[in-house]
Amino acid sequence: MTDHTTHDDGTDVSETDDDNRLLLPQLGLDRRDFMKAGAAAGAMGSLAGCTGVLNNDDDGETATGVPDHDVPPGEHDEYYAFLSGGHAGDVRVHGLPSMREIMRIPVFNVESARGHGHDDESREMLDGYRWGDTHHPRLSQTDNDYDGRFAYVNDKANGRMARIDLKYFETDAIVDIPNQQGTHGACAQLPDTDLIFGVGEFRVPMPNDGRDLTDPESYTSTLAAIDPETMNVEWQVQIDGNMDNGDGSKDGRWFFATGYNSEGGINEQEMTRPDRDWVKAFDIPAIEELVEAGEYETINDVAVVDGTRDSPHNDGDPIVHYIATPKSPHGVSVTPDNEYAIASGKLDPTTALIEIDALDDVDDPTDAIVGRPRLGMGPLHTAYDGRGHAYTTLFIDSQVVKWDIEAAVEAEPESEEPIIEKIDVHYNPGHLIAAESYTADPQGDWLISLNKLSKDRFLPVGPVHPENDQLIYIGDDEEGMQLVKDSPAYAEPHDASICHRSKLDPADVYDPDDLELDHVSAGDESIERVADDRVEVEMYSMRNEFGFEDITVQEGDTVEMTVTNIETTSDILHSLAIPEYDINVKLAPQETRKVTFEADKPGVYWFYCAFFCSALHLEMRSRLIVEPED
Ligand code: CUK
Ligand code: CUA
């Protein structure tokens, strides 16, 4: 029996066999070739996983050397994991190693429990959209280490980039990226987060204003560089082919993007035809020099530099090196020591190691590829432990393969020798992430495999299955990788960043100085008719009342309500929930929010607090009285 699903990037790699593993018909390869090495190591891996789960003895380690991963009641996890929510549009915060979901941060989605998309400010940020497709949450760094300030995440659906303020764990800015459709890859320019990069996946006419509709040859995609403070798009580079994922070198010099469809096809058959696609290496300082010198075209108010293969800027010292790699490279990540950018084939069983320093010296950029180990079927993404090992997901084999980076440089191309071991995961992993793998100094203990299918791993809940994020211990090179736990995930995490708890210092209550709106203290509440059809209300909320028992307005009035939660005690939240007006604004201690609405329905509306804030929570309600027009 076979059935069909599709991967997020639209490639049809998705027929399943009886084991529910996804097959790859276009390759025409005999899967048994790849099973030999994998099967034995994989079986051992899952065995080790079982013992790891079962034998948790008293000395804080399991019998197989896995440290305690059951965080006892009342204790904290060691790591924060920030997982993208995919087309749920949010970012989830998990604790590691417990894998407990601690918080969700709404980003591109309207979400009522946190009032995102309900108050004026977040509504304006969302700009009418109700969803987004988050893939790559990346944390800001200083000197190649997490600095606890911000997280950035892309919206593949609507071409946007968002910033999450890690003081409040809340989205504080969203930029709509012009001249780009399908903002997929996302990452910060290191070492100090000087730029945020958004990678455009879908080729579209440039500008996409109705011209060139049926002329796919002229479609193009762009790399966008965004200022992390102002969130303005600073410049873009136009290139050939679809781009996919991206990662930057640790020294700020290069940005690497994978890509598929180098021939510019518009259907699956055309898109998967070429045997080679390109990894693009963008020379960031060289591009910035061109921008400085005015060597660009302004399109939709953004400086767009021509980085296509035929561009004069790619004669001689190119600004974009097109590195031919086997078929449809998908994931790319730079090693912690900044030696290599490792790009995985997706439709090819090998992975390419690009020697970063060689790019300046070679005439043919393809000569910078210094290793090409054969890892298994459907290699997608690679993470690092800081001890010279790489871990790559094998989408089709449903495995994670651990391999030796330097051994891959020394080995012959297509050699399996660099492989250290493989472990079965359940099932079809997309990304994987190791603790602090995106920094120069990964922690090397835990790894999460973000598996697309969970099949039968959890209680059945109908035809929509959760995904399965699996925790794997990688801290013991002797014992090898050990599967520790399954954790169901709501659709659908793509990538994650894992940060040690010592690097984050979130606020417990709001600092009113950080907010745009003025704090409304008890005694300062007011109701004012500022125009014939406009009423401004300023009030506080506290246990167990709002600033007014009644607020009376006229049908047709525009009502602006500004509310402060004047509590100073942490964890005491209130909200302003207005029945039948589709409004619920959350208010954490010392937070002030404003909501504007049309009072278009006459009647009595008990506005109330939706957080269970005290024993008298139910009594925390007041009347909005809307008098009918006469
Ligand atoms: S992508 Cu989804 S599994 Cu958006 Cu990084 Cu590869
Ligand atoms: Cu305030 Cu319930």
Side-chain angles (χ1 to χ4, degrees):
M1 191 194 92
T2 59
D3 52 73
H4 250 83
T5 51
T6 41
H7 185 44
D8 68 285
D9 55 24
T11 50
D12 183 20
V13 292
S14 51
E15 274 183 38
T16 60
D17 65 8
D18 286 340
D19 296 333
N20 253 346
R21 292 172 177 207
L22 302 186
L23 302 177
L24 198 50
Q26 303 94 317
L27 271 181
L29 292 171
D30 185 347
R31 193 164 176 283
R32 281 168 301 182
D33 292 348
F34 303 96
M35 286 296 289
K36 283 181 225 143
M44 273 168 53
S46 43
L47 208 66
C50 286
T51 50
V53 171
L54 294 174
N55 301 331
N56 210 349
D57 58 25
D58 289 335
D59 61 4
E61 292 208 337
T62 62
T64 50
V66 179
D68 248 344
H69 47 83
D70 285 322
V71 178
E75 292 196 11
H76 290 179
D77 280 288
E78 192 175 355
Y79 293 102
Y80 288 91
F82 294 83
L83 282 76
S84 60
H87 46 111
D90 57 4
V91 165
R92 293 88 183 261
V93 185
H94 287 238
L96 231 64
S98 76
M99 295 294 278
R100 296 178 295 198
E101 183 181 285
I102 302 170
M103 185 45 67
R104 290 185 181 191
I105 305 169
V107 181
F108 299 111
N109 54 326
V110 175
E111 207 278 331
S112 50
R114 293 195 60 166
H116 195 62
H118 285 248
D119 72 295
D120 288 0
E121 200 184 329
S122 58
R123 251 190 216 167
E124 198 189 331
M125 263 195 293
L126 292 178
D127 198 23
Y129 289 110
R130 294 179 306 147
W131 77 292
D133 189 4
T134 59
H135 282 223
H136 302 105
R138 295 295 186 98
L139 308 184
S140 59
Q141 299 193 26
T142 300
D143 199 15
N144 281 309
D145 194 10
Y146 292 139
D147 58 22
R149 299 181 65 217
F150 297 106
Y152 298 87
V153 70
N154 68 304
D155 169 17
K156 170 166 163 167
N158 305 304
R160 294 178 291 175
M161 188 70 69
R163 182 175 67 196
I164 294 166
D165 178 350
L166 292 178
K167 181 172 180 187
Y168 297 116
F169 276 55
E170 115 191 326
T171 305
D172 82 335
I174 294 176
V175 60
D176 202 330
I177 304 172
N179 310 323
Q180 187 170 102
Q181 196 168 96
T183 301
H184 186 194
C187 127
Q189 186 189 23
L190 299 179
D192 297 319
T193 317
D194 293 321
L195 292 169
I196 304 299
F197 295 113
V199 182
E201 180 172 343
F202 302 148
R203 296 166 61 250
V204 286
M206 182 68 131
N208 192 18
D209 59 0
R211 73 187 68 192
D212 300 335
L213 298 177
T214 54
D215 179 21
E217 295 256 301
S218 69
Y219 296 177
T220 189
S221 59
T222 61
L223 172 73
I226 299 160
D227 182 309
E229 300 289 333
T230 64
M231 293 296 279
N232 286 331
V233 178
E234 296 291 296
W235 46 259
Q236 294 180 315
V237 180
Q238 175 173 346
I239 57 94
D240 288 313
N242 289 70
M243 281 191 287
D244 197 356
N245 277 282
D247 199 19
S249 65
K250 304 281 190 237
D251 56 2
R253 170 77 192 279
W254 300 100
F255 180 79
F256 299 93
T258 52
Y260 58 100
N261 190 25
S262 46
E263 300 303 314
I266 51 164
N267 57 38
E268 179 207 312
Q269 205 187 10
E270 290 173 12
M271 288 190 202
T272 52
R273 190 185 303 137
D275 278 337
R276 304 251 137 188
D277 288 287
W278 299 297
V279 170
K280 288 119 200 147
F282 296 84
D283 186 335
I284 303 303
I287 293 162
E288 292 194 312
E289 265 174 43
L290 290 178
V291 175
E292 284 281 298
E295 300 272 321
Y296 56 78
E297 194 184 340
T298 302
I299 305 176
N300 286 318
D301 295 328
V302 178
V304 181
V305 176
D306 185 359
T308 56
R309 272 173 303 167
D310 297 336
S311 162
H313 304 314
N314 281 334
D315 279 348
D317 268 347
I319 57 164
V320 183
H321 298 246
Y322 286 75
I323 307 167
T325 53
K327 241 177 159 60
S328 300
H330 176 68
V332 61
S333 56
V334 171
T335 53
D337 58 10
N338 202 40
E339 292 281 316
Y340 309 106
I342 296 182
S344 291
K346 188 172 74 174
L347 303 185
D348 183 275
T350 67
T351 277
L353 284 81
I354 298 159
E355 186 179 357
I356 295 176
D357 279 347
L359 283 169
D360 279 325
D361 304 330
V362 293
D363 289 331
D364 177 356
T366 305
D367 292 339
I369 297 177
V370 293
R372 212 154 62 74
R374 188 183 186 96
L375 298 179
M377 291 291 277
L380 288 187
H381 293 283
T382 299
Y384 308 102
D385 63 10
R387 300 188 301 271
H389 307 127
Y391 300 78
T392 301
T393 44
L394 301 175
F395 182 75
I396 297 164
D397 283 341
S398 283
Q399 290 181 317
V400 168
V401 52
K402 175 182 180 181
W403 52 285
D404 185 297
I405 299 169
E406 283 308 321
V409 175
E410 271 148 41
E412 292 295 309
E414 312 225 12
S415 166
E416 293 181 358
E417 260 163 48
I419 294 175
I420 298 167
E421 61 166 324
K422 294 182 176 183
I423 187 171
D424 286 345
V425 294
H426 311 86
Y427 304 86
N428 300 104
H431 271 268
L432 79 179
I433 184 69
E436 306 204 332
S437 178
Y438 290 129
T439 71
D441 191 15
Q443 304 264 348
D445 45 6
W446 299 105
L447 178 141
I448 309 175
S449 175
L450 303 163
N451 307 316
K452 296 296 181 189
L453 303 190
S454 65
K455 197 172 138 50
D456 52 4
R457 304 287 283 192
F458 305 108
L459 281 175
V461 287
V464 179
H465 294 235
E467 307 198 355
N468 188 10
D469 298 339
Q470 286 185 302
L471 183 69
I472 296 170
Y473 184 62
I474 57 169
D476 187 337
D477 290 328
E478 306 267 293
E479 283 290 338
M481 291 185 281
Q482 298 179 66
L483 178 62
V484 172
K485 64 180 74 171
D486 282 12
S487 176
Y490 190 70
E492 75 158 79
H494 283 259
D495 190 11
S497 288
I498 299 173
C499 174
H500 194 268
R501 67 182 182 195
S502 62
K503 295 171 189 176
L504 288 174
D505 187 19
D508 205 28
V509 298
Y510 276 88
D511 177 348
D513 291 341
D514 287 342
L515 298 170
E516 299 263 306
L517 296 163
D518 288 339
H519 188 90
V520 185
S521 304
D524 289 347
E525 64 274 16
S526 63
I527 302 174
E528 205 181 330
R529 180 165 290 280
V530 293
D532 280 352
D533 57 355
R534 195 167 188 95
V535 177
E536 278 180 14
V537 178
E538 295 194 346
M539 66 178 176
Y540 61 86
S541 62
M542 59 181 271
R543 282 162 291 175
N544 300 89
E545 63 182 36
F546 291 100
F548 292 103
E549 286 185 6
D550 298 320
I551 296 169
T552 302
V553 300
Q554 304 296 309
E555 180 184 358
D557 280 344
T558 298
V559 182
E560 257 178 58
M561 274 196 190
T562 305
V563 192
T564 298
N565 175 352
I566 60 172
E567 306 275 357
T568 51
T569 312
S570 88
D571 210 3
I572 302 298
L573 276 79
H574 304 296
S575 83
L576 172 70
I578 310 180
E580 298 172 43
Y581 275 92
D582 198 27
I583 289 166
N584 186 35
V585 176
K586 84 97 214 299
L587 298 157
Q590 297 290 302
E591 183 176 16
T592 303
R593 294 282 165 193
K594 182 164 99 177
V595 60
T596 304
F597 61 95
E598 297 292 310
D600 53 3
K601 292 183 283 272
V604 171
Y605 302 91
W606 286 97
F607 58 91
Y608 73 102
C609 163
F611 281 99
F612 204 108
C613 51
S614 77
L616 291 172
H617 152 76
L618 293 175
E619 287 77 2
M620 188 172 170
R621 57 188 169 102
S622 297
R623 284 182 304 170
L624 169 68
I625 296 170
V626 183
E627 295 179 339
E629 259 174 333
D630 32 44

